[in-house]
Amino acid sequence: MAINQLNLKRIVIFLAVIVSLATAYYCGWMYVAFKIESGFSNLKEKYNTTDLQINHKDIEISGFPWGWCLKIERPRLKIKNRFLWTTSLLKINLKSWDYKSFKFQTFGSHQAHIYKNNSLKHIKAKMNTGVGQLRLDQFGKIQEIKFSVKENIIQIPSSNQIRFKKLSGSVHLNKKHATKNDINQSPSVKLEIDLSSLVIPKTFLPKMENKIAEIKLSTDLHGRLEGSNLKNILTNWTKHGGVIEINKMMLNWGELNFFGNGTFALDENLQPIAALSAKITGQNATINSMVVAGLIKARTGMLLNFLTNAMTNKKRAKNQAIKISLAVQDGFLYLGPIKFFKIPEIRWN
């Protein structure tokens, strides 16, 4: 009898401990939920200025007991009079065991607008859905962003449209990159982009294939990014030896397949300079299309065809890949020793 009473007492104590822990966890969960909701409200009031405006409608928090799920209706972000982003619903997921990582997803109408100074025309982008992940470092600063958007239409002035099926990528920021002159440290920014089914307006490249099946890019950016505007940032980056390492660049455009790597930088006039090595197939058809489109002269096309044919082993398959070197310098693109075509000057103002 005494043993049964002792066991019963232990069970009661055990249940009391479990209930106490569950109650404490629930109270903690509710406290964090309250802080998150009030934090978003404070964020809305704090950044409601002329330069930056953050607005939204109702916020709903769920996800108990494993985490917190925020549903934000009609979030709206405006930066000065240059950029506007809005969507019907933004969903953010936070896990209790991984507080440094946030997953987000958009639903419904998803739009972004980019405006130019003293111009009524602007660039408008529409997206169906967007998903991503945001990771913070130990100090609460952004360390990595991953994203993916589908079924996109970009409306640019003059009634032109750029469409693509899917864009995904990631940006990794290295906060430890603090030395001004040593560019051999870990890259300050790592960028990866994967773009599929890109359709550009026919007016951009008449008589050329206007659908690019796939573009992949993986780069490491070395150097400090500091300044008050884009031109100032690029000037400082160039002065301190900033360079971009292109680890992988892949292009599938019509019959052309391109796979290469190399380096990219800017000269003292902030114009591109680059050196690439690549393997390509489908080069002859692409060169002929560029001649027909008037992008290169006929004699340049003949010379390029002769050069690429000389690199091909006639005993092998017709679509054999060839190795080439590309360079951008003094405003021209070079294919090996041949000046391919002139690159328009970039104005950063």
Side-chain angles (χ1 to χ4, degrees):
M1 186 69 178
I3 295 176
N4 291 336
Q5 289 181 347
L6 180 61
N7 290 335
L8 181 61
K9 185 177 181 180
R10 288 175 178 174
I11 292 173
V12 171
I13 293 174
F14 176 76
L15 292 176
V17 170
I18 294 297
V19 171
S20 299
L21 290 175
T23 303
Y25 181 82
Y26 176 75
C27 292
W29 187 94
M30 291 296 295
Y31 175 76
V32 173
F34 170 76
K35 294 295 289 184
I36 291 173
E37 185 174 1
S38 60
F40 270 91
S41 299
N42 294 335
L43 193 69
K44 178 180 176 181
E45 296 176 2
K46 180 179 179 180
Y47 290 106
N48 192 12
T49 65
T50 55
D51 291 339
L52 178 63
Q53 294 181 7
I54 298 176
N55 293 298
H56 58 79
K57 290 189 177 180
D58 295 336
I59 296 179
E60 177 185 330
I61 301 181
S62 59
F64 182 83
W66 308 117
W68 297 266
C69 177
L70 285 76
K71 293 181 180 179
I72 306 172
E73 292 185 7
R74 294 290 177 185
R76 187 174 184 269
L77 172 66
K78 185 177 182 181
I79 302 175
K80 295 185 177 180
N81 292 319
R82 298 289 186 88
F83 178 80
L84 173 65
W85 172 85
T86 182
T87 186
S88 299
L89 179 67
L90 174 62
K91 183 179 178 181
I92 303 175
N93 288 312
L94 299 87
K95 300 298 182 182
S96 56
W97 60 86
D98 188 10
Y99 62 91
K100 295 180 182 179
S101 179
F102 306 82
K103 291 184 178 180
F104 57 88
Q105 185 174 2
T106 62
F107 298 87
S109 177
H110 187 188
Q111 298 184 10
H113 302 258
I114 301 174
Y115 299 89
K116 291 184 177 181
N117 284 338
N118 304 320
S119 176
L120 297 176
K121 298 179 179 180
H122 70 284
I123 299 173
K124 180 180 179 180
K126 289 184 178 180
M127 294 148 275
N128 278 356
T129 59
V131 296
Q133 184 175 5
L134 185 69
R135 183 169 290 278
L136 308 178
D137 62 14
Q138 58 183 341
F139 303 107
K141 295 182 178 180
I142 296 176
Q143 185 179 52
E144 185 178 28
I145 302 172
K146 295 181 179 180
F147 64 90
S148 177
V149 289
K150 296 181 179 180
E151 304 297 338
N152 306 270
I153 298 176
I154 301 176
Q155 185 77 40
I156 59 178
S158 303
S159 301
N160 288 316
Q161 283 189 353
I162 298 175
R163 294 182 286 114
F164 52 91
K165 189 173 183 179
K166 182 180 178 181
L167 171 64
S168 59
S170 65
V171 181
H172 184 90
L173 306 177
N174 183 9
K175 299 296 183 180
K176 295 181 180 180
H177 188 86
T179 305
K180 291 186 177 181
N181 297 319
D182 186 3
I183 63 170
N184 295 318
Q185 296 185 23
S186 299
S188 53
V189 179
K190 294 176 69 71
L191 173 67
E192 293 189 0
I193 293 291
D194 189 347
L195 178 64
S196 62
S197 301
L198 172 65
V199 180
I200 59 178
K202 277 287 188 182
T203 53
F204 280 19
L205 295 172
K207 301 180 182 180
M208 293 283 292
E209 173 67 46
N210 71 324
K211 183 176 180 179
I212 301 175
E214 189 173 27
I215 299 174
K216 288 186 177 181
L217 183 67
S218 175
T219 65
D220 292 342
L221 185 147
H222 295 266
R224 296 174 64 88
L225 300 174
E226 296 178 341
S228 57
N229 53 56
L230 179 59
K231 186 175 182 179
N232 189 241
I233 291 171
L234 293 176
T235 300
N236 292 332
W237 179 70
T238 302
K239 283 183 178 180
H240 292 99
V243 65
I244 297 176
E245 293 182 6
I246 304 172
N247 303 316
K248 179 179 70 175
M249 183 177 182
M250 191 180 82
L251 173 68
N252 185 347
W253 181 16
E255 295 190 39
L256 178 67
N257 291 287
F258 176 100
F259 186 89
N261 54 48
T263 57
F264 174 90
L266 297 174
D267 62 19
E268 63 274 8
N269 298 316
L270 300 185
Q271 298 305 304
I273 51 176
L276 298 168
S277 60
K279 290 182 179 180
I280 62 172
T281 60
Q283 61 278 359
N284 290 341
T286 304
I287 292 170
N288 294 335
S289 296
M290 295 182 75
V291 171
V292 173
L295 296 176
I296 59 175
K297 295 180 180 179
R299 61 183 182 183
T300 303
M302 291 177 62
L303 184 58
L304 289 172
N305 277 325
F306 175 79
L307 179 64
T308 55
N309 288 335
M311 297 178 182
T312 305
N313 188 335
K314 300 297 183 181
K315 296 181 180 180
R316 296 185 182 180
K318 184 178 179 181
N319 292 326
Q320 169 197 353
I322 63 170
K323 294 182 179 180
I324 62 169
S325 60
L326 297 169
V328 177
Q329 191 172 4
D330 300 326
F332 285 91
L333 173 65
Y334 291 83
L335 195 159
I338 301 175
K339 187 183 290 185
F340 198 16
F341 64 84
K342 184 173 178 59
I343 298 175
E345 182 181 356
I346 301 175
R347 300 183 181 275
W348 300 103
N349 294 330

